[in-house]
Amino acid sequence: MTDTTLVALGVQNGRLACIQPMVEVNHSDLPVDQVDVKGAWVTPALVDCHTHAVYGGSRAQEWEMRLSGVPYAEIAKQGGGILSTVRATRALDEAGLIEASWPRVKALASEGVGCIEIKSGYGLTLADELKMLRVARRLGDLAQVEVSTTLLAAHAVPPEYAGRTDDYVTLICEEMIPAAAEAGLADAVDVFCEHIGFTRDQTERVFAVARQHGLAVKGHMEQLSDLDGSALAAAYQAWSVDHVEFLSEKGIVALAQSGTTAVLLPGAFYFLREKQLPPVAALQAANIPIAVATDLNPGTSPFASLRWAMNMACVLFGLTPQQAFAGVTRHAAKALGRADRLGELSIGREASFCVWNIQHPAELAYQMGVNPLRCRVWRGAKLEG
Ligand code: DI6
Ligand code: FE
């Protein structure tokens, strides 16, 4: 990334067809529709591989209460937490949910994100989970970004199943996963494997059914405690394990064997004032690809900026700007099973890239509040605005 040789990119049928040093380009061969970016930096379009960008309502007041010292349990008792977002999300129809979620997806795209993973998980009924996934897909069309959809029905136990978590898991396995797979609405299935979420055994039930239906699996693993969920995910060839602050050495060995990506979510770490750092050095020593994502959600990471997640990954978790960049491109594409198409500028890959007004790539993770994106190209077409 420090080599500043000027390079020409050739695009054909939405793919990168050639990459050549400018000095080798025969100018008479250049096509008519050429663009001179005048030495600007060009990178692959960014990939945000973990978001909950589709939801209704806001939890700003809950945050205010938390800041003034009201314990989370008390907030939950008053109807706050994930379930307050579930109520607000259920109350919206598809058009309302698109309207509510659009500013978040738009904000990500306007900073150079060309592929976003969006989870369900605030519907928790068959109809409401499918509604969220349809809205996610629709938002991708509207914002001209690729959307990878993930069924996260195992996010929380809905009120109508209170005290009957296993029955809810049965609903997920027998109705929700088959319906989402049948409708082609989910690329992957995720589980919040945590003492305040779902047990390791419940997680395994969901993973097994997801795989039977040909869906990839991934997990919110080891965020607040170590349930050994990452090793389980590795056994199911998970695309990724996400959060991983409490990941053990055993989990790291399992991830290294399965080729699963570890996704760091520094926004949630920061917003919750967590203390346990993810084992970044051990992950690196084991050659486990490390991605970085926003975790954009109303409760624990209300940040619609992947560049800010890069900044936090550097400042809070000790990544270098170059590692953070790999985390939102190559490794993030791998975390979504799309490494063959996205996340790298190489011949044959999708021509989805960003042109940046920067002097050095470290700037992508450096200054916040000023958007350095000059333009984004998506599948070979330059986008306006
Ligand atoms: N882990 C989180 O940090 C979020 N979901 C999850 O499984 C929390 C989402 C929320 O509070 O709305
Ligand atoms: Fe999350």
Side-chain angles (χ1 to χ4, degrees):
M1 271 169 67
T2 47
D3 180 2
T4 51
T5 313
L6 289 176
V7 167
L9 298 179
V11 174
Q12 204 167 30
N13 302 326
R15 300 262 165 180
L16 283 166
C18 80
I19 301 176
Q20 250 182 353
M22 277 302 277
V23 288
E24 290 171 18
V25 172
N26 182 347
H27 284 254
S28 58
D29 288 350
L30 285 177
V32 226
D33 50 347
Q34 52 180 284
V35 181
D36 181 0
V37 299
K38 299 189 169 33
W41 279 86
V42 176
T43 71
L46 309 185
V47 177
D48 191 350
C49 66
H50 181 138
T51 87
H52 310 246
V54 168
Y55 61 83
S58 155
R59 306 245 290 276
Q61 278 177 296
E62 168 186 322
W63 178 57
E64 246 182 338
M65 286 166 71
R66 274 206 286 126
L67 287 174
S68 67
V70 182
Y72 188 79
E74 179 57 33
I75 292 169
K77 225 193 298 169
Q78 293 179 24
I82 292 181
L83 293 182
S84 84
T85 303
V86 171
R87 279 193 302 278
T89 304
R90 286 180 177 179
L92 293 174
D93 63 11
E94 281 187 37
L97 202 46
I98 288 172
E99 197 181 322
S101 310
W102 168 251
R104 296 185 278 270
V105 172
K106 180 76 185 151
L108 290 172
S110 71
E111 272 194 334
V113 175
C115 176
I116 307 178
E117 186 256 14
I118 301 181
K119 302 174 196 298
S120 66
Y122 292 120
L124 312 185
T125 64
L126 174 61
D128 289 304
E129 288 290 295
L130 296 185
K131 175 180 77 179
M132 288 188 71
L133 295 174
R134 277 194 299 272
V135 164
R137 285 273 165 84
R138 184 81 191 106
L139 285 164
D141 298 338
L142 291 170
Q144 295 183 288
V145 295
E146 178 162 337
V147 167
S148 184
T149 47
T150 301
L151 178 72
L152 177 59
H155 191 197
V157 179
E160 44 304 352
Y161 278 87
R164 296 190 293 132
T165 307
D166 280 321
D167 292 344
Y168 179 57
V169 173
T170 301
L171 176 76
I172 294 172
C173 292
E174 291 185 359
E175 294 186 31
M176 294 191 186
I177 294 173
E182 166 83 6
L185 279 172
D187 297 310
V189 173
D190 191 342
V191 178
F192 185 29
C193 180
E194 192 54 68
H195 57 86
I196 56 164
F198 294 83
T199 64
R200 197 177 188 277
D201 287 349
Q202 289 161 346
T203 303
E204 179 153 25
R205 285 177 63 197
V206 174
F207 280 179
V209 174
R211 297 298 283 147
Q212 279 161 22
H213 284 83
L215 302 177
V217 300
K218 58 205 297 178
H220 284 71
M221 298 302 184
E222 276 73 76
Q223 178 184 8
L224 307 168
S225 61
D226 180 14
L227 295 194
D228 198 30
S230 293
L232 174 70
Y236 282 83
Q237 274 77 50
W239 272 352
S240 70
V241 290
D242 302 34
H243 286 289
V244 300
E245 279 87 341
F246 286 82
L247 181 62
S248 66
E249 191 52 45
K250 171 174 180 270
I252 291 176
V253 170
L255 294 179
Q257 279 167 4
S258 65
T260 299
T261 300
V263 180
L264 303 183
L265 304 169
F269 176 91
Y270 158 80
F271 199 64
L272 294 174
R273 294 184 175 143
E274 293 292 341
K275 298 281 177 287
Q276 173 89 20
L277 288 164
V280 171
L283 288 167
Q284 287 164 342
N287 277 323
I288 293 167
I290 299 176
V292 173
T294 60
D295 197 14
L296 171 53
N297 78 71
T300 66
S301 191
F303 308 118
S305 169
L306 187 56
R307 290 181 52 249
W308 201 27
M310 292 170 74
N311 179 277
M312 288 190 276
C314 295
V315 174
L316 300 174
F317 293 167
L319 266 61
T320 65
Q322 196 163 333
Q323 288 165 346
F325 175 73
V328 297
T329 50
R330 192 153 38 92
H331 296 164
K334 183 163 189 298
L336 296 180
R338 286 161 166 80
D340 56 333
R341 245 183 339 104
L342 307 178
E344 245 182 65
L345 295 179
S346 57
I347 290 175
R349 282 202 165 68
E350 203 170 90
S352 293
F353 52 84
C354 295
V355 182
W356 303 99
N357 297 318
I358 55 174
Q359 312 285 314
H360 187 280
E363 284 178 48
L364 294 180
Y366 169 66
Q367 185 179 51
M368 299 300 120
V370 175
N371 186 357
L373 185 72
R374 187 187 300 179
C375 73
R376 181 164 66 88
V377 172
W378 193 54
R379 297 177 178 166
K382 181 173 176 286
L383 303 179
E384 301 304 329

